[in-house]
Amino acid sequence: MIIDTISRIDCPEGIFLRLRLAGAYCRASAYFLDFLFRTALIIGLSIFFSFFGAFGTGVLLISMFLLEWFYPVYFEVYRAGQSPGKKKMGIRVTMEDGSPIGFQASLLRNLIRVVDLYFLTWVFILFSSKMMRLGDMAAGTVVIYDSGKARIKRTTGKDAKHPSITLNEKEQRATVSFATRSLTQSRKQELAEILEPIHKLKGEDAVNEVMAYARHIGGSS
Amino acid sequence: MKESEFIKKNSVFWRKLKKELKRSGPLTCRDTFPDDYEKVCYQIGLSRQRGYNLELIDSLDSLALRMRQELYRKPSLSLHNLLYQFLVETPRVIRGNFSYVLAALFLFTLPAIATYFILLKQPHLAFVLIDPANIEHIEDMYRDNAPHLGAPADVDSRVMMFGYYIKNNIGIDFSCFAGGILVGIGSIFFLVFNGFFLGTIFGHLENQGLGYNLSLFVVSHAPMELMALVFSGAAGMKMGFSFLIPGPYTRLHSLRKSSLIGVKFLILAAIMTFVAAAIEAYWSSLPHLDMQSRVIFSLSNVLLIGAYVGLLGWKRGPI
């Protein structure tokens, strides 16, 4: 089994989508940001409604109820799966197959958040294959990175070079992945030298050669 | 075909689609949109098979993803859809899962009744079950000269109580449902706990001679509020048990199926609790209403709920 944060969705149209799943740390940060935002909003509203006596308190209580339960639902359904915190962190909620989330699924995953907050959420995210918390499991949703895939720009100048053989998609991806990841110099050399039969180079030269291939290919890992 | 030729031939087509996707609005209304999507999908397969450049494949991939999201967008909530859900689907689903409703009802009422009678025999137990300070507060609320029964409440404080009931009671419904994800335990806990609490309060106030005042206040909104809690608990139990006993499905699939059913229950429960809050704030607190009219109102609510569950949604197909 390949352990990967990319969830591959095969579509009936004969294509597949690659969703990059977001992990516990990123999601916790997004939740924290949302929490701050929501708290600030509640404090603001409390001050505003304090001028309106008992009537204000009633309206405040209703808005607190709405903020508590429907704040994420609103953003997930009407702002393409992104609450402000998630937007800041560059992540969004979608259905497991990459389609936009609907009202019922959103309501479900956010109701179950109450349980998730008390009950080992992060353990579930760490151990489920698609990094789902309980609410995600019930609603069939995933949290994915918006974009931000490590990518390399395609160039046509001297620093780009066509490899002596044609690379298929998987090989191209491996090459780009090599170029975009931060590896130690010795590890880079070790990896680049695997292609010695193609480029007949060693050491630093091999690394530069493979980097040139990657620039010729472009795209994301 | 060479890669550069392929790009040259199609770039206008791709640019047009990208521009179109940036505009908001119902793209799928355009008749040829699905055909265009199919064409892009075909081109991706072609590019992959021919070993075209990765950057090209990536850009086509993201184009296809956005078109797919547009095509597979859930229909937005229309009034017709909402009415259909509320008047046909929900009653059907409740009848279909009536065993859970009955189970939840018993889990709530049996502890309540049991505690009530135990407290009549052993009055001092009230102070063991509920915090004494809390008891005093509750006693004060139902004394003969208590503000919301004896004296007329002003409009503003009614709005406040309305807000309080909404936040508190719908919150309890939601938690009661959500707790069910732990194989039903959370829902059962909420039902039983609330049953005990209610029974204790009724028993204790009866012992203090305030039972009539309490009944006078709660009888009107009790059916809506308590049945909403029962529905939430039933939905939570359904969700939890379907995970525990998945039948012919995988556990995850079974959980998903039943939790979507649960959401329908829950939306109904939220509406009922909302109505209950309105009754509690604007009707139950009316000082001059006598017991008889309150009981009639309450019974008509019971009938309303019964008719909703029992009579609606028998006809198949859309309304």
Side-chain angles (χ1 to χ4, degrees):
Chain A
M1 193 184 103
I2 300 171
I3 298 177
D4 201 350
T5 55
I6 289 178
S7 160
R8 187 182 144 140
I9 314 291
D10 288 284
C11 304
E13 294 87 352
I15 56 168
F16 57 85
L17 308 168
R18 294 150 50 87
L19 304 177
R20 291 179 72 235
L21 303 169
Y25 174 74
C26 187
R27 295 174 61 175
S29 314
Y31 178 77
F32 183 66
L33 286 174
D34 277 332
F35 179 77
L36 286 183
F37 185 57
R38 217 171 352 180
T39 311
L41 218 58
I42 288 175
I43 291 173
L45 285 174
S46 319
I47 294 169
F48 177 74
F49 283 120
S50 65
F51 295 109
F52 296 92
F55 176 81
T57 313
V59 182
L60 176 69
L61 286 167
I62 294 173
S63 24
M64 275 166 76
F65 163 76
L66 291 176
L67 276 174
E68 188 181 345
W69 295 98
F70 291 96
Y71 165 91
V73 178
Y74 170 78
F75 285 106
E76 280 170 18
V77 177
Y78 294 104
R79 290 286 174 272
Q82 284 185 309
S83 60
K86 285 202 174 68
K87 193 162 191 171
K88 193 91 189 147
M89 297 305 294
I91 55 180
R92 72 171 68 226
V93 189
T94 68
M95 299 306 287
E96 231 181 327
D97 63 356
S99 60
I101 186 171
F103 176 75
Q104 289 195 345
S106 177
L107 183 64
L108 194 56
R109 78 184 289 280
N110 286 304
L111 289 180
I112 295 173
R113 192 190 292 279
V114 195
V115 182
D116 273 319
L117 284 178
Y118 292 108
F119 190 77
L120 303 172
T121 314
W122 311 120
V123 178
F124 274 99
I125 290 188
L126 289 175
F127 284 96
S128 72
S129 63
K130 289 192 170 179
M131 304 199 196
M132 292 165 148
R133 60 178 176 86
L134 288 172
D136 289 322
M137 290 182 196
T141 52
V142 288
V143 180
I144 60 170
Y145 282 103
D146 215 9
S147 59
K149 285 181 199 167
R151 51 171 54 252
I152 186 163
K153 200 155 168 45
R154 191 182 188 190
T155 51
T156 46
K158 271 204 299 278
D159 55 347
K161 192 174 171 188
H162 195 291
S164 55
I165 58 162
T166 308
L167 302 177
N168 68 20
E169 193 199 345
K170 210 171 157 192
E171 291 156 351
Q172 289 187 32
R173 262 192 218 290
T175 313
V176 171
S177 173
F178 169 81
T180 48
R181 284 196 191 166
S182 51
L183 304 163
T184 61
Q185 198 56 31
S186 53
R187 179 68 181 147
K188 273 186 182 170
Q189 288 181 12
E190 197 182 346
L191 288 170
E193 282 171 10
I194 295 173
L195 296 183
E196 208 189 322
I198 298 172
H199 51 57
K200 315 255 183 310
L201 292 168
K202 274 216 170 279
E204 192 73 16
D205 293 337
V207 176
N208 291 336
E209 181 79 3
V210 179
M211 291 299 278
Y213 295 164
R215 278 191 286 273
H216 174 74
I217 296 163
S220 64
S221 53
Chain B
M1 196 188 289
K2 268 202 163 158
E3 191 186 320
S4 51
E5 268 177 71
F6 180 73
I7 294 175
K8 216 165 110 189
K9 202 178 139 204
N10 292 302
S11 55
V12 177
F13 171 63
W14 295 331
R15 248 205 314 276
K16 192 193 82 181
L17 284 174
K18 274 179 194 159
K19 222 169 100 187
E20 208 173 21
L21 282 165
K22 274 203 191 107
R23 273 204 310 267
S24 53
L27 290 169
T28 36
C29 291
R30 188 159 71 75
D31 285 349
T32 52
F33 191 77
D35 294 338
D36 287 349
Y37 175 58
E38 208 183 323
K39 194 168 166 191
V40 172
C41 291
Y42 169 72
Q43 286 170 344
I44 291 174
L46 210 60
S47 313
R48 285 219 159 90
Q49 205 236 330
R50 289 178 179 167
Y52 283 168
N53 185 276
L54 199 58
E55 208 174 48
L56 173 68
I57 297 177
D58 274 350
S59 75
L60 285 181
D61 255 351
S62 66
L63 180 63
L65 174 65
R66 275 157 64 202
M67 292 181 83
R68 182 186 147 83
Q69 292 195 332
E70 199 57 46
L71 266 175
Y72 286 74
R73 188 181 295 284
K74 307 263 177 316
S76 54
L77 291 172
S78 64
L79 184 64
H80 177 271
N81 194 350
L82 284 177
L83 283 178
Y84 181 74
Q85 286 288 335
F86 183 69
L87 295 177
V88 179
E89 280 291 321
T90 309
R92 250 184 215 172
V93 158
I94 291 174
R95 281 197 299 273
N97 297 285
F98 210 69
S99 49
Y100 286 102
V101 178
L102 282 183
L105 191 64
F106 283 128
L107 280 171
F108 176 70
T109 46
L110 290 185
I113 293 168
T115 331
Y116 176 74
F117 283 110
I118 289 170
L119 274 190
L120 291 188
K121 293 252 183 281
Q122 308 276 335
H124 64 278
L125 273 179
F127 297 95
V128 181
L129 291 169
I130 301 180
D131 179 28
N134 209 348
I135 288 186
E136 207 164 296
H137 175 66
I138 293 167
E139 276 177 25
D140 284 344
M141 278 164 62
Y142 296 101
R143 288 199 195 292
D144 287 334
N145 54 359
H148 68 243
L149 277 175
D154 63 301
V155 180
D156 279 5
S157 63
R158 278 193 189 147
V159 175
M160 184 179 88
M161 289 321 286
F162 180 56
Y164 174 75
Y165 297 141
I166 283 186
K167 181 170 171 351
N168 202 39
N169 297 349
I170 302 186
I172 289 176
D173 288 351
F174 284 174
S175 311
C176 183
F177 167 74
I181 191 108
L182 308 173
V183 293
I185 293 170
S187 301
I188 295 173
F189 171 79
F190 264 96
L191 286 168
V192 172
F193 178 81
N194 278 298
F196 272 129
F197 192 79
L198 194 75
T200 310
I201 294 192
F202 262 93
H204 180 71
L205 290 188
E206 188 67 54
N207 289 334
Q208 305 293 313
L210 302 170
Y212 181 78
N213 284 357
L214 175 65
S215 311
L216 194 67
F217 181 64
V218 299
V219 69
S220 314
H221 58 261
M224 283 283 179
E225 195 173 309
L226 300 185
M227 274 316 284
L229 183 69
V230 167
F231 283 149
S232 317
M237 278 160 65
K238 160 113 187 148
M239 182 167 70
F241 291 156
S242 71
F243 180 77
L244 201 63
I245 309 160
Y249 305 101
T250 64
R251 282 188 203 282
L252 206 57
H253 188 85
S254 165
L255 174 70
R256 255 170 225 175
K257 247 168 55 88
S258 63
S259 46
L260 276 180
I261 291 172
V263 170
K264 292 190 207 301
F265 267 76
L266 202 67
I267 292 171
L268 174 69
I271 294 171
M272 285 170 66
T273 312
F274 182 84
V275 174
I279 297 171
E280 192 169 355
Y282 292 99
W283 168 275
S284 299
S285 60
L286 290 178
H288 50 78
L289 278 176
D290 57 358
M291 191 60 150
Q292 196 184 3
S293 48
R294 284 168 194 261
V295 170
I296 290 171
F297 182 86
S298 180
L299 285 178
S300 63
N301 272 333
V302 174
L303 281 178
L304 187 70
I305 298 171
Y308 175 79
V309 174
L311 301 180
L312 288 179
W314 285 101
K315 217 176 116 191
R316 286 228 156 258
I319 32 176

